[in-house]
Amino acid sequence: ASAHTQPRVPKACDPCNRRKVRCNGQQRCQQCEHLDLLCTYTENRLLRSRKNVRRGTVISKYKSADTRHTTLTPLLSPPAPPASPQLPTSYYESLLPAYMSYVYPFSPIITESEVRTSISKMDTEREHAAFIYAFTAVTLDLTRSSQTTKSTPQSAPAQITELMRQSVETQQPLVIGFRPSILRATTSIFIQMCAMSLGHYDLGFFHLREAISMIQMLRIGDKTVNAGLSTAERARRQRLYWQCFIHERFMSIVNFSPVTLPPHSQYPEEDTFVGADI
């Protein structure tokens, strides 16, 4: 008879425990799979308590907690404050001269005035906040790689790594309704540059591919699509395309990664807003 006895489950999931029903102990147990509940296992005795539990309330609770039944609204809300101390606006603004001297000449996409706009919007719009964290990281990376700052006692590599994390975690997830942008593509390029500088080549490859995806979604290589843009905007997009092309070829040489971007059909058009040195 013992051969046919079902082995005892060492621990039931939270919904089965509270409902006092048999649980098979699997990740997404049979009961939760049948009722489409969020199957969780926790050591918290209060969460697992059966006291004052009314019939039917457990099912409704764990159904409402199931992430598959939530709306997309929380994903589109402004970001929560980062875990690390928030740097003052004046700190980001103080980096602009270094950005224009050491970053913009190699990535002439987002102008000084556009950076200032992103700084002013970073408390309310995730895409702008993600860009500013990446802007700060890449500026420190190209100008202060072996220094520390008075306002931030961390070493430069540690601070750059933390800013990269904040940028990635703040960025709006790619959900239905998402629209690609030049700003997001540039954010990804800045993260890629920092990742490469820190020796994280696979991470750099990933974020470069995200920037290339933005380029392809914006159809920057399509002359018909870009014909209606101003010369300055069209030239900027062409510069972005060529920058990703160069970075991808460089990564292919250094890290033997595959390439996807063909050469653009033309070099960037002359832009009167960009100096001859750029």
Side-chain angles (χ1 to χ4, degrees):
S2 61
H4 299 283
T5 303
Q6 186 175 4
R8 182 178 178 83
V9 175
K11 181 178 179 181
C13 71
D14 299 340
C16 289
N17 179 71
R18 301 195 72 186
R19 293 170 57 229
K20 303 180 184 179
V21 297
R22 184 180 295 277
C23 178
N24 62 11
Q26 297 178 0
Q27 288 297 328
R28 202 108 201 280
C29 71
Q30 187 177 13
Q31 291 281 351
C32 291
E33 181 69 32
H34 175 67
L35 295 172
D36 196 22
L37 303 181
L38 179 64
C39 189
T40 59
Y41 293 81
T42 180
E43 298 296 335
N44 191 321
R45 293 183 178 181
L46 291 176
L47 293 178
R48 294 174 59 81
S49 174
R50 302 175 182 177
K51 293 182 180 180
N52 302 319
V53 176
R54 291 183 297 173
R55 187 176 181 85
T57 57
V58 175
I59 292 178
S60 62
K61 173 187 175 182
Y62 283 91
K63 269 189 177 293
S64 65
D66 194 331
T67 55
R68 293 176 301 166
H69 295 281
T70 58
T71 65
L72 296 178
T73 303
L75 295 177
L76 304 177
S77 59
S84 59
Q86 179 66 54
L87 295 169
T89 298
S90 59
Y91 177 76
Y92 301 121
E93 293 175 339
S94 71
L95 294 176
L96 279 167
Y99 170 78
M100 294 304 297
S101 296
Y102 297 100
V103 182
Y104 188 75
F106 301 98
S107 181
I109 311 299
I110 305 300
T111 64
E112 180 178 353
S113 63
E114 288 172 321
V115 174
R116 291 186 183 278
T117 297
S118 288
I119 293 173
S120 68
K121 293 182 177 181
M122 67 181 299
D123 289 335
T124 56
E125 298 185 33
R126 297 175 71 151
E127 187 172 71
H128 288 282
F131 169 75
I132 291 302
Y133 294 137
F135 145 84
T136 305
V138 77
T139 303
L140 293 177
D141 183 51
L142 294 183
T143 60
R144 312 179 190 187
S145 58
S146 61
Q147 302 177 23
T148 58
T149 62
K150 293 181 180 179
S151 59
T152 53
Q154 297 171 294
S155 66
Q159 186 183 2
I160 291 165
T161 300
E162 173 62 15
L163 287 161
M164 290 169 62
R165 182 195 65 79
Q166 288 182 265
S167 180
V168 172
E169 293 185 357
T170 302
Q171 191 68 272
Q172 178 177 314
L174 303 184
V175 295
I176 294 174
F178 162 78
R179 292 291 181 269
S181 69
I182 301 297
L183 191 69
R184 178 151 189 165
T186 306
T187 300
S188 297
I189 291 174
F190 286 172
I191 294 176
Q192 179 250 335
M193 291 168 66
C194 292
M196 292 289 290
S197 176
L198 295 171
H200 300 292
Y201 300 115
D202 288 343
L203 184 64
F205 176 77
F206 176 86
H207 286 286
L208 178 60
R209 278 296 174 87
E210 182 176 72
I212 291 172
S213 296
M214 298 293 138
I215 284 176
Q216 293 171 334
M217 293 167 71
L218 290 165
R219 299 175 66 183
I220 292 178
D222 191 323
K223 286 186 176 182
T224 304
V225 171
N226 293 280
L229 301 174
S230 67
T231 301
E233 179 60 24
R234 191 166 55 246
R236 170 162 77 161
R237 294 182 177 218
Q238 292 164 352
R239 293 195 297 271
L240 175 63
Y241 188 105
W242 279 110
Q243 183 178 7
C244 284
F245 176 89
I246 293 168
H247 283 213
E248 189 179 44
R249 282 341 193 245
F250 175 78
M251 289 200 70
S252 178
I253 294 170
V254 171
N255 204 40
F256 305 102
S257 56
V259 297
T260 59
L261 273 184
H264 197 283
S265 60
Q266 67 181 94
Y267 290 121
E269 298 175 52
E270 184 176 353
D271 186 350
T272 56
F273 293 99
V274 176
D277 55 328
I278 305 297

